[in-house]
Amino acid sequence: MDWNTILQELGIDDTRRADFLDKYQDRIKEAILPLWDEFSNPAGEEKGDPADCRPEQEPAATVSEHREESAATVENTATVEKNNPNGKNMITGAGLPDDKAREKAKNEAFEAQIKGKYISFPNGKINREYTVPFDVETQLPDISEVEFIGLDRIGLQYDPETKQITGIPTQVGDHKIDMRCKRKDWTEGKPFIQKEITLYINADPKSLWKNIPTPADVEYYKPDSDKAFVKVESKQTKGFLGLGKKEMRRKDMIAASQRGRSHALEGKPRDDDFKLYFDEPAEWYVMAVADGAGSAKYSRKGSQIACQTVVEVCKAKLAEAGKVFEQQITEFQRNKSDENRKKTGDTLYGIIGTAAFQAKIEIEKEAAQKDSQGKMKAVKDFSSTLLIAICKKFDSGWFVGAFWVGDGGIGLYHQEPEFLKILGEPDGGEFAGQTRFITMPEVMQPKEIYRRLRFDVVDDFTALILMTDGVTDPKFETDANLNKIEKWHALWDDLKGKNEDNITVDFSDDSEQAADQLLKWLDFWSKGNHDDRTIAILF
């Protein structure tokens, strides 16, 4: 069968023709070689049998086998010249695809490759920094360039230099992004290949919570948040004979309290409270933090009474104890004997132990008042935890005394060199009823009060921190973790800006904006932790 007959048998079916050429193109080329040699012999020379012109290295059986297989394949095909006289998409006389057909096939194969490639981007969060690497050469080696259509609509962009998608998403939901690609051999006029990618931007969980203000006419109203900064300015130290005077930095205090989301959702009042005080003449720091029981009707007032009473009593008792107490502390610094420890502890009991007991008395007085309907109030309706700390710098170090009832935590923390002292034990438990409150008679017994006292003298510290469980629960997770210094390192780093909200509290000297920053920091998100949050820091 001659070549024209074969072409006629193939017919005009492009798919069939392409399949045939793809399967037998190597054999066809081998068959053409001897035919070409025969055709190219000088005129007048005797033309030999094509089989005699095959390459010497080709086994004799190969070409004949190819001829037989080719002939067997084409016997059942349609004629090409009858149905395709112009040889569409075929090289004249050979039946091979032309450049246009080959280009089309390449594009179709490239498009199939791109559309078959699984590409996805991580979910983003509304109004949060989004940075995702996308290296086109790693993802798709056959691509020279890529661009994304639709990123700009949601506040994002792709930088081919850094190979990153960056920005701050501005819209929540599913977003269809078109990825447009160019082949490496792309030239002007050639088509782009497009692939649709879905990018999901999550809503900010905070925005899903309502923030209903506490009604101003509620009994024992208090603001939904509070903050305080106590600036203690540096002072001039006396040099020898009046020489060599210099400024000595003194620590400042800040505190902030924020109503929890669970209360805000229902428009209920903040139950937490705090109070800070610095006695300028005596240089004593006093800090109090309280968490009113969520189940107690008037606990917001109980916590407020507790903190106010503590400061008032400590102020008076410190002035009363005066030089005697300071002398006992000095002796304890020199010699931490049991005798010196007991003397110091006894005086401390007379100061902050008395303050805690008096807080209970004042709450009982308030409970004795009738409500707006003329009914008596119950003391347990004012239930509250209570954390107290007093602190003063001496020539040989810092004295810190503390009292702790309930959950939350008090920690004396030094970042470097590492040091941590937990000034008490949390009264937490599996159930809320296991927490202790200052309104409980069994807690306010002399022996129990004394047992809850802690004090120590240290060279220095980074921060003395008092927190309600609205802070300790999400940041420490368990009571046992309060004793792990790595958790305190993480908390301090968090306060200094290592958090997803990028909120930094400035702990430099006399940083009056620190209280506003601390209040803003308290709005951090922690799944399942939506209680009131209060924290006080001496730094």
Side-chain angles (χ1 to χ4, degrees):
M1 180 181 293
D2 60 22
W3 191 246
N4 276 335
T5 303
I6 292 174
L7 293 177
Q8 290 172 2
E9 292 292 337
L10 283 173
I12 143 188
D13 189 331
D14 287 349
T15 302
R16 212 162 170 197
R17 192 183 320 126
D19 289 344
F20 174 80
L21 293 173
D22 182 59
K23 184 172 183 179
Y24 296 111
Q25 59 180 335
D26 291 337
R27 299 184 184 182
I28 291 171
K29 289 177 182 177
E30 291 169 0
I32 287 174
L33 286 174
L35 293 174
W36 176 256
D37 288 341
E38 178 183 346
F39 172 77
S40 60
N41 277 339
E45 290 188 11
E46 183 178 353
K47 297 179 181 179
D49 184 81
D52 297 330
C53 301
R54 58 182 175 266
E56 293 181 2
Q57 68 273 23
E58 177 77 358
T62 304
V63 173
S64 60
E65 289 173 359
H66 290 179
R67 287 174 178 168
E68 292 172 2
E69 190 171 347
S70 297
T73 302
V74 301
E75 282 178 0
N76 297 322
T77 60
T79 60
V80 68
E81 288 188 352
K82 178 179 179 182
N83 298 320
N84 190 25
N86 296 322
K88 182 181 179 182
N89 291 332
M90 306 291 284
I91 297 176
T92 304
L96 299 176
D98 61 16
D99 291 341
K100 187 175 181 180
R102 284 196 296 270
E103 179 65 19
K104 180 181 178 183
K106 286 180 70 175
N107 282 334
E108 290 174 349
F110 182 63
E111 184 173 9
Q113 177 193 5
I114 300 302
K115 292 187 175 179
K117 179 77 173 179
Y118 178 73
I119 300 174
S120 66
F121 297 137
N123 292 351
K125 184 180 288 187
I126 188 75
N127 298 326
R128 293 288 176 85
E129 188 71 35
Y130 185 83
T131 301
V132 172
F134 185 85
D135 187 347
V136 65
E137 294 182 0
T138 301
Q139 292 272 357
L140 302 161
D142 294 331
I143 290 179
S144 63
E145 292 181 41
V146 66
E147 62 179 353
F148 296 95
I149 311 301
L151 285 177
D152 57 335
R153 294 195 302 268
I154 56 173
L156 302 177
Q157 57 277 325
Y158 174 69
D159 187 344
E161 296 296 324
T162 62
K163 296 180 173 58
Q164 289 183 326
I165 295 174
T166 60
I168 299 178
T170 58
Q171 297 182 40
V172 172
D174 285 324
H175 301 283
K176 305 301 181 183
I177 308 300
D178 286 328
M179 182 180 75
R180 297 179 63 188
C181 308
K182 295 179 182 179
R183 278 176 23 205
K184 283 188 173 179
D185 60 352
W186 189 91
T187 56
E188 193 67 37
K190 289 186 177 181
F192 289 90
I193 304 301
Q194 292 198 177
K195 178 181 179 67
E196 187 178 80
I197 302 173
T198 299
L199 173 57
Y200 190 80
I201 303 300
N202 292 307
D204 184 349
K206 294 180 185 178
S207 66
L208 304 178
W209 289 78
K210 294 180 181 179
N211 188 12
I212 303 173
T214 300
D217 59 352
V218 70
E219 191 171 10
Y220 299 130
Y221 171 83
K222 70 167 63 173
D224 294 335
S225 65
D226 194 10
K227 65 183 187 302
F229 176 79
V230 177
K231 179 180 178 180
V232 182
E233 295 182 346
S234 301
K235 70 174 184 177
Q236 294 285 339
T237 59
K238 297 178 180 180
F240 181 68
L241 298 177
L243 301 175
K245 289 185 178 180
K246 63 178 181 179
E247 279 198 348
M248 182 183 71
R249 177 194 179 276
R250 296 192 292 179
K251 296 183 186 295
D252 299 322
M253 287 187 290
I254 55 172
S257 182
Q258 177 63 56
R259 182 178 61 158
R261 292 187 179 89
S262 57
H263 283 172
L265 184 65
E266 301 178 34
K268 293 182 177 180
R270 172 173 56 95
D271 291 329
D272 282 8
D273 220 300
F274 71 86
K275 194 75 174 177
L276 305 178
Y277 170 72
F278 177 70
D279 188 326
E280 183 66 48
E283 298 189 62
W284 277 100
Y285 296 87
V286 181
M287 310 168 74
V289 166
D291 178 4
S295 59
K297 186 177 180 181
Y298 302 121
S299 66
R300 58 187 175 278
K301 186 62 176 179
S303 63
Q304 186 182 60
I305 291 173
C307 291
Q308 290 176 344
T309 304
V310 163
V311 168
E312 291 169 2
V313 174
C314 284
K315 180 181 178 180
K317 290 295 181 181
L318 285 168
E320 183 182 305
K323 298 298 180 182
V324 174
F325 187 36
E326 294 183 9
Q327 183 60 40
Q328 290 173 341
I329 293 170
T330 301
E331 289 297 324
F332 177 72
Q333 287 176 303
R334 293 174 184 167
N335 179 10
K336 295 185 178 181
S337 65
D338 290 343
E339 182 182 357
N340 288 338
R341 180 177 292 277
K342 186 176 186 309
K343 288 180 181 179
T344 306
D346 288 348
T347 305
L348 183 65
Y349 174 89
I351 300 170
I352 59 178
T354 300
F357 185 80
Q358 189 62 39
K360 174 181 178 293
I361 298 300
E362 295 301 318
I363 288 175
E364 289 174 344
K365 288 180 181 179
E366 182 63 33
Q369 304 296 318
K370 294 181 179 180
D371 63 18
S372 57
Q373 297 177 346
K375 296 181 180 179
M376 297 295 293
K377 299 172 184 176
V379 173
K380 67 178 182 179
D381 286 338
F382 294 81
S383 295
S384 175
T385 68
L386 181 59
L387 308 175
I388 307 172
I390 62 172
C391 188
K392 179 175 179 175
K393 187 179 189 308
F394 291 80
D395 291 340
S396 54
W398 285 85
F399 173 83
V400 181
F403 174 81
W404 179 343
V405 172
D407 44 26
I410 309 176
L412 189 61
Y413 165 73
H414 204 300
Q415 186 176 33
E416 192 174 334
E418 289 186 347
F419 172 78
L420 174 65
K421 186 175 183 67
I422 304 303
L423 298 170
E425 298 177 4
D427 288 312
E430 184 179 356
F431 305 103
Q434 293 177 289
T435 301
R436 295 289 179 258
F437 304 110
I438 59 170
T439 48
M440 294 177 171
E442 64 271 23
V443 173
M444 289 293 105
Q445 297 300 314
K447 287 185 179 180
E448 185 66 13
I449 292 175
Y450 203 99
R451 184 185 72 81
R452 292 172 180 275
L453 295 176
R454 298 288 188 280
F455 66 89
D456 203 351
V457 178
V458 297
D459 292 337
D460 198 5
F461 57 89
T462 300
L464 172 61
I465 305 177
L466 287 68
M467 302 167 281
T468 63
D469 65 336
V471 177
T472 57
D473 282 355
K475 296 302 181 182
F476 291 87
E477 298 171 339
T478 67
D479 291 342
N481 282 342
L482 283 171
N483 295 288
K484 296 180 180 179
I485 195 167
E486 59 268 25
K487 285 289 188 178
W488 288 83
H489 285 324
L491 173 65
W492 194 246
D493 288 342
D494 192 329
L495 285 162
K496 295 181 72 175
K498 195 174 181 181
N499 54 70
E500 64 176 11
D501 296 312
N502 296 317
I503 296 173
T504 300
V505 181
D506 182 5
F507 290 108
S508 60
D509 191 25
D510 299 339
S511 174
E512 296 189 33
Q513 69 272 22
D516 291 310
Q517 296 166 347
L518 186 61
L519 181 59
K520 190 176 181 181
W521 177 84
L522 282 177
D523 196 38
F524 63 81
W525 174 260
S526 177
K527 185 177 180 181
N529 293 293
H530 308 299
D531 196 5
D532 293 351
R533 297 170 179 172
T534 302
I535 184 169
I537 307 173
L538 170 62
F539 64 97

